[in-house]
């Protein structure tokens, strides 16, 4: 009896091994490139969406509230159904990559972080939008979109995503606290450090500045923001990683110096905890993305209502002012059907039109158009718009390299800058180790 | 029996229908009933294993637009043994395993002894203690992360009240991060060991205790000389189970420290995740996963051998 069973089990295993071997010998030639999307026919309007159903994957940033408010309006106007899938940063990236490499086409529309532009564009994960843009140019008012906003999705001259939400790195500060201490809002990095030091008083539960220190994307992105503000660089002239230059080591030491005047838990802060620290009134200053600005005036989530102002992010003394720019584009899956792609494009066109942009902004979205940012009604509602516009006009969308290998750089810096901050490595060791890790994984 | 003879036997029995009926009544019944399970095991366990071994022999990056798979032999394994992060993470994993398993074994046994008697209160307490096990580790991680937060968390708050300097908070200090994540694991999984030990205690024979009582043995002597030796098989099962589980830890680390601060809590499984899901370097990630598999397989084999010896 048992011999029979064994025989059967062996047959089964051999079968499975054969299956595996068949997998082994399967041709490993390059997979066929994603089918070229059919060239769009004559200009189509919202009627192209009738009966279509799309899935939109969105990052759970503030602007997701604007999607929740505007998607139903689009559905009503067009007859399409759009399912909104809200995902956190890491989940969104992983689900999108799985969808793209598996060619499953689950998501038709997706929010694309500025730093993913290169990867998505190079690999043709998202459909190039240039043909749609050329076809509908008359309706798009492309000149009205700020030049820096095009870095949200542009890769090597083509558009892998369309500008959706522009963020500027700005300095938020507590008017009351600075006034009381007789300190002017810092205009340079040197003044920032001095102000942070002067405003720190742990006994009163007040710290000078809130920073991102948690291992991973958080600390990596904050450090890169400081590299930008000190005129440092992540890539050299040839586009190769240059993390451990003497300038960058100095900048890292400066960054570490700032942490002395940050809440003690800062080396464990992600974006949400940094926001909490500022909204709870524990810190006097915080550099961060402009999209969070409106939230400080919301008494449900903020204890600092009416006490906050913003200024352009301070740069190193003597440096030509340039401000960190980031945010999100919106892309169309290259694996969606031409009909779905057409409808997705209609959605993008509708959402980014000047009229809807005002609604988008009022529902916690972020701007991309000059006309929205200079609209008198909008400026009256959001008095900080001029600061934002100035930051956008001198914005630098490439301070975090928008290249396909970005995630490798981010992971290496995310590990080793954190190791420096908690005292495991010196600044020199940390950047040398990060450089080595990037070189080892560079493709 | 030759083939011809066999065919004659079948035909004499009256064809296929009869043959099947006989099969069903005889040995075939076992096969038929085991079939679904065997197919399940083959499809769910064996095929992925072979697949992971196959891709570990290739250079295969998921995000490569051409999806090229280049055969590289054992290069990925060779790379693993030279990768400094692998060695660090192995050391970190061993510390984590030793810490969690030791503390949980001792605490689990103590709790089991404490709650071995019957009574309404005790039954209620036992049920309450099981609650942490019912929570998904990711949720547990997130809850503890906020409890540990240096600036808003409850734990640092009380520690500060007691005059303890919490520095950057338990999860962000190099020396504290590992004990802090071990504590989370202990909180969640000690009840499992308590249950296993309780079952073991309940099944112990009463006679040796009666004899010891008659001989005037103290409680401590009874515990050392009767309970512990009799409980050995149960202890070994629990040790094996928790060691294997601990080696595979990922979710709690992912939710709390992300392997930080620095690399203080980067366990092997977390490193594999980074290689696989951040770099999408599937070949190398598979090789690392197989190394982990071999380690766990050796451990299991070792424990099973010990276990069998104990029972002889």
């Amino acid at each position: 009896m048992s011999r029979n069973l064994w025989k059967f089990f062996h047959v089964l295993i051999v079968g499975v091994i054969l299956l595996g071997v068949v997998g082994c010998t399967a041709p490993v030639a390059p997979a066929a490139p994603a089918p070229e999307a059919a060239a769009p026919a004559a200009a189509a309007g919202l009627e192209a969406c009738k009966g279509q159903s799309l899935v939109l994957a969105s990052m759970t940033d503030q602007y997701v509230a604007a999607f929740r408010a505007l998607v139903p309006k689009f559905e009503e106007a067009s007859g399409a159904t759009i399912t909104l899938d809200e995902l956190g940063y890491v989940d969104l990236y992983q689900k999108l990559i799985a969808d793209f490499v598996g060619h499953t086409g689950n998501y038709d529309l997706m929010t694309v972080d500025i730093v993913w532009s290169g990867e998505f564009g190079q690999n043709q994960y998202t459909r190039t939008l240039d043909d749609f843009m050329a076809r509908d140019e008359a309706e798009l008012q492309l000149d009205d979109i700020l030049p820096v906003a095009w870095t949200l999705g542009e890769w090597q001259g083509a558009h892998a995503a369309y500008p959706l939400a522009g963020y500027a790195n700005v300095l938020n500060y507590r008017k009351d606290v600075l006034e009381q201490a007789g300190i002017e809002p810092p205009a340079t990095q040197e003044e920032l450090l001095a102000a942070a030091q002067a405003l720190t008083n742990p006994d009163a539960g007040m710290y000078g500045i809130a920073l991102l220190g948690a291992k991973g994307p958080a600390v990596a992105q904050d450090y890169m923001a400081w590299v930008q503000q000190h005129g440092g660089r992540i890539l050299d002239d040839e586009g190769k990683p240059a993390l451990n230059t003497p300038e960058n080591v100095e900048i890292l030491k400066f960054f570490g110096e700032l942490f002395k005047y940050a809440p003690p838990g800062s080396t464990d802060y992600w974006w949400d905890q940094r926001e909490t620290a500022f909204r709870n009134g524990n810190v006097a200053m915080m550099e961060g993305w402009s999209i969070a600005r409106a939230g400080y005036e919301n008494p449900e989530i903020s204890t600092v209502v009416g006490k906050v102002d913003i200024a352009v992010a301070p740069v190193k003394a003597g440096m030509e002012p340039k401000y960190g720019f980031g945010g999100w584009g919106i892309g169309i899956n290259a694996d969606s059907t031409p009909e779905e792609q057409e409808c997705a494009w209609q959605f993008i066109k509708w959402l980014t039109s000047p009229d809807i942009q005002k609604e988008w902004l009022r529902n916690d979205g972020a701007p991309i158009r000059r006309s929205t940012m200079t609209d008198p009604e909008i400026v009256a509602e959001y008095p900080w718009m001029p600061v934002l516009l100035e930051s956008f006009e001198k914005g630098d969308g490439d301070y975090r390299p928008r290249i396909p290998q970005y995630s490798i750089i981010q992971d290496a810096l995310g590990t080793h800058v954190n190791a420096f901050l908690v005292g495991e490595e010196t600044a020199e060791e940390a950047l040398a180790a990060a450089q080595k890790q990037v070189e080892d994984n560079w493709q | 029996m030759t083939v011809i003879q066999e065919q004659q036997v079948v035909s004499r029995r009256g064809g296929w229908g009869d043959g099947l009926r006989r099969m069903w009544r005889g040995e075939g019944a076992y096969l038929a009933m085991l079939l679904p399970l065997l197919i399940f095991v083959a499809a769910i366990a064996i095929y992925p294993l072979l697949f992971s071994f196959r891709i570990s022999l290739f250079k295969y990056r998921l995000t490569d637009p051409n999806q090229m798979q280049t055969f590289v032999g054992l290069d990925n394994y060779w790379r693993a043994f030279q990768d400094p992060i692998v060695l660090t993470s192995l050391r970190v994993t061993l510390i984590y395993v030793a810490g969690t398993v030791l503390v949980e074994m001792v605490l689990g046994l103590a709790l089991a002894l404490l709650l071995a008697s019957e009574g309404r209160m005790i039954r209620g307490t036992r049920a309450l203690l099981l609650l942490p096990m019912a929570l998904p580790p990711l949720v547990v991680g997130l809850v503890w992360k906020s409890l540990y937060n240096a600036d808003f968390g409850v734990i640092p708050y009380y520690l500060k009240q007691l005059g303890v300097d919490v520095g950057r908070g338990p999860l962000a200090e190099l020396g504290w991060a590992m004990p802090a994540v071990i504590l989370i694991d202990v909180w969640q999984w000690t009840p499992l060991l308590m249950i296993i030990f309780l079952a073991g205690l309940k099944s112990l024979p009463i006679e040796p205790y009666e004899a010891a009582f008659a001989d005037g043995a103290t409680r401590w002597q009874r515990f050392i000389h009767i309970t512990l030796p009799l409980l050995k098989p149960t202890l070994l099962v629990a040790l094996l189970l928790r060691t294997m589980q601990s080696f595979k830890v990922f979710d709690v680390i992912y939710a709390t420290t992300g392997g930080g601060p620095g690399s203080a809590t980067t366990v092997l499984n977390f490193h594999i995740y980074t290689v696989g899901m951040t770099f999408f370097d599937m070949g190398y990630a598979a090789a690392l996963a197989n190394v982990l598999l071999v380690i766990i397989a050796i451990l299991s084999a070792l424990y099973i051998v010990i276990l069998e010896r104990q029972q002889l």
Side-chain angles (χ1 to χ4, degrees), chain A residues 169-191:
Chain A
N169 183 38
V170 292
L171 175 71
N172 298 282
Y173 63 91
R174 289 275 301 279
K175 287 184 284 190
D176 55 333
V177 176
L178 266 73
E179 219 164 85
Q180 205 181 357
I183 293 175
E184 285 292 308
T188 64
Q189 283 288 310
E190 293 74 8
E191 287 176 22

Side-chain angles (χ1 to χ4, degrees), chain B residues 44-298:
Chain B
I44 302 293
I46 299 176
Y47 181 73
L49 214 61
L50 287 173
F51 184 78
S52 108
F53 180 67
R54 182 180 88 79
I55 62 170
S56 74
L57 303 178
F58 286 78
K59 186 174 157 59
Y60 174 34
R61 194 173 285 261
L62 209 55
T63 48
D64 175 3
N66 296 324
Q67 301 273 303
M68 282 292 286
Q69 299 184 7
T70 322
F71 184 77
V72 291
L74 294 174
D75 269 13
N76 283 325
Y77 292 93
W78 182 236
R79 188 177 151 199
F81 289 108
Q82 292 172 316
D83 186 343
I85 309 177
V86 169
L87 298 177
T88 332
S89 61
L90 251 178
R91 187 173 50 85
V92 170
T93 312
L94 284 174
I95 296 173
Y96 182 84
V97 171
T100 51
V101 174
L102 261 176
V103 177
E104 285 166 25
M105 291 284 286
V106 173
L107 269 184
L109 186 58
L111 276 174
L113 290 168
L114 194 69
L115 301 175
S117 52
E118 291 298 331
R120 199 179 292 170
M121 281 286 282
I122 284 191
R123 254 179 274 150
T125 316
R126 278 197 304 231
L128 274 180
L129 279 175
L130 291 184
L131 278 181
M133 264 169 36
L135 295 169
L138 210 57
V139 174
V140 170
L142 289 173
V143 169
W144 278 82
K145 187 180 165 76
S146 35
L147 289 178
Y148 276 142
N149 186 298
D151 304 312
F152 327 109
V154 177
I155 295 173
Y157 174 80
Y158 283 111
L159 286 176
K160 278 184 220 162
Q161 299 290 312
L162 293 171
V164 180
D165 175 19
V166 294
R168 304 182 183 98
L171 291 177
E173 283 288 344
L174 278 178
W176 288 26
M178 181 51 88
V181 288
I182 287 178
L183 179 64
I184 302 176
D185 196 277
V186 167
W187 176 81
Q188 184 163 31
W189 294 113
T190 301
L192 175 72
L193 294 192
M194 179 192 79
I195 288 293
I196 296 176
F197 294 147
L198 262 177
L201 285 175
K202 297 273 176 197
S203 64
L204 295 187
I206 189 92
E207 293 81 5
Y209 289 94
E210 286 173 350
F213 189 72
D215 289 344
T218 63
R219 266 173 173 240
W220 180 247
Q221 284 170 328
R222 274 180 285 167
F223 174 69
I224 292 291
H225 298 292
I226 302 176
T227 312
L228 271 189
L230 285 178
L231 214 53
K232 229 178 198 171
T234 317
L235 288 170
L236 276 168
V237 169
L239 190 67
L240 164 68
L241 208 68
R242 282 305 300 150
T243 308
M244 281 168 33
Q245 277 180 342
S246 248
F247 248 103
K248 294 186 296 180
V249 64
F250 168 75
D251 23 27
V252 168
I253 302 287
Y254 173 79
T256 52
T257 62
S263 52
T265 59
T266 304
V267 289
L268 187 54
N269 226 355
F270 192 83
H271 180 53
I272 297 173
Y273 165 81
T274 311
V275 172
M277 300 308 289
T278 306
F279 303 154
F280 294 102
D281 192 345
M282 289 304 159
Y284 186 41
L288 288 178
N290 288 338
V291 170
L292 181 65
L293 178 78
V294 168
I295 294 173
I296 295 177
I298 291 174

Side-chain angles (χ1 to χ4, degrees), chain A residues 200-222:
Chain A
T200 299
N201 180 6
D203 296 334
M206 179 57 80
Y207 293 89
I209 188 163
L211 299 158
L212 301 175
K215 184 183 177 182
V219 73
Q221 297 203 12
D222 220 20

Side-chain angles (χ1 to χ4, degrees), chain A residues 60-70 164-167 279 290-298 301 357-367 382 384:
Chain A
T60 46
D61 257 9
Q62 283 87 341
Y63 61 70
V64 78
F67 273 135
R68 287 186 209 133
L70 292 175
L164 174 76
Y167 298 178
R279 287 178 189 161
S290 48
I291 192 166
R293 176 63 187 91
Y296 307 142
E297 305 304 328
N298 177 356
I301 53 170
Q357 277 294 293
K358 282 165 77 173
E359 287 305 301
W360 169 253
L361 204 63
R362 286 185 172 122
N363 284 289
D364 289 340
Y382 305 94
W384 53 86

Side-chain angles (χ1 to χ4, degrees), chain A residues 317-330:
Chain A
M319 187 185 137
E320 172 79 16
K322 258 177 131 188
Y323 307 113
F325 178 83
W328 294 77
I330 182 164

Side-chain angles (χ1 to χ4, degrees), chain A residues 201-361:
Chain A
N201 180 6
D203 296 334
M206 179 57 80
Y207 293 89
I209 188 163
L211 299 158
L212 301 175
K215 184 183 177 182
V219 73
Q221 297 203 12
D222 220 20
Y223 167 68
M224 284 190 263
W226 256 270
V227 170
Q228 185 271 325
Q229 294 172 97
H230 283 254
R233 296 172 67 182
I234 302 293
L235 302 179
D236 63 16
D237 287 335
E238 288 163 12
K240 290 272 177 294
L243 303 179
N244 58 341
T245 59
E247 298 83 55
N248 286 354
V249 170
E250 284 311 307
I251 298 167
L252 182 55
K253 286 179 182 164
F254 183 95
F255 190 54
E257 197 67 16
L258 278 175
F259 270 83
K260 290 184 183 162
Y261 312 113
S266 293
T267 51
D268 203 23
Y269 276 11
W270 274 69
W271 287 267
D272 52 343
Q273 286 143 333
R274 183 180 67 173
E275 286 294 324
T276 309
F278 190 70
R279 287 178 189 161
N280 277 1
N282 298 109
V283 287
M285 300 182 290
M286 183 186 82
E287 280 194 18
W289 292 127
S290 48
I291 192 166
R293 176 63 187 91
Y296 307 142
E297 305 304 328
N298 177 356
E300 280 175 30
I301 53 170
S302 165
T303 62
V304 292
V305 175
K307 296 176 182 168
V308 178
D309 209 347
I310 70 170
V312 293
V315 292
K316 195 179 177 193
M319 187 185 137
E320 172 79 16
K322 258 177 131 188
Y323 307 113
F325 178 83
W328 294 77
I330 182 164
I332 300 176
N333 196 332
D335 293 315
S336 293
T337 65
E339 293 75 24
E340 287 166 340
Q341 292 181 347
E342 177 64 48
C343 178
W345 169 246
Q346 292 301 329
F347 176 71
I348 294 176
K349 216 164 67 169
W350 177 84
L351 187 70
T352 55
S353 64
D355 284 349
I356 304 297
Q357 277 294 293
K358 282 165 77 173
E359 287 305 301
W360 169 253
L361 204 63

